[in-house]
Amino acid sequence: MASVQVDAGGMDTLAAHCQSLAVDVAGVSASPDLSMPSGQATAVAVQAVHADVAAAGAAMVARLEATSAKLAAAAVSFTDQETSSAAEVAAVAPTSTWPIIAVASGLRCGEIDFAYRESSDVR
């Protein structure tokens, strides 16, 4: 199984970047006022193009904002899970006063079997 390395800080940075892009796209997708008479055929065509650009811009903004929100939520979820997992591992840590060392006892099907022994027994 391939491993995935997750960086919560990197996900937060990407979320902020997506939000920044959403603001930028929203700022440029607004249609300017037309200075030509609305009865002209070219004015109608230009208005149609402006409407299409505005619709595409709105779709991009929505997608960028949704991606930003999902990335931020994933970063929080990952951090919470890591904190919880660390606490669970700490709760089952050995309590022996002797140092414990994990010694690989052999390979089997790509896995390592570990035998736990006190450090004075390991040579």
Side-chain angles (χ1 to χ4, degrees):
M1 177 193 237
S3 65
V4 175
Q5 294 184 355
V6 178
D7 176 23
M11 291 190 330
D12 281 334
T13 300
L14 183 55
H17 184 66
C18 286
Q19 189 60 41
S20 174
L21 288 174
V23 170
D24 291 346
V25 170
V28 297
S29 64
S31 298
D33 292 332
L34 293 176
S35 62
M36 61 181 86
S38 60
Q40 292 182 351
T42 54
V44 173
V46 169
Q47 287 172 344
V49 169
H50 283 195
D52 289 345
V53 168
M60 284 187 242
V61 167
R63 178 64 184 259
L64 286 164
E65 288 175 341
T67 300
S68 176
K70 288 178 182 180
L71 283 165
V76 169
S77 177
F78 173 76
T79 301
D80 290 349
Q81 183 62 45
E82 284 296 296
T83 301
S84 174
S85 295
E88 289 175 12
V89 168
V92 297
T95 57
S96 171
T97 57
W98 287 92
I100 305 270
I101 297 176
V103 179
S105 63
L107 296 175
R108 180 186 64 187
C109 297
E111 298 176 1
I112 299 176
D113 294 327
F114 289 99
Y116 293 92
R117 301 181 187 154
E118 292 183 4
S119 62
S120 60
D121 293 341
V122 179
R123 296 189 175 117

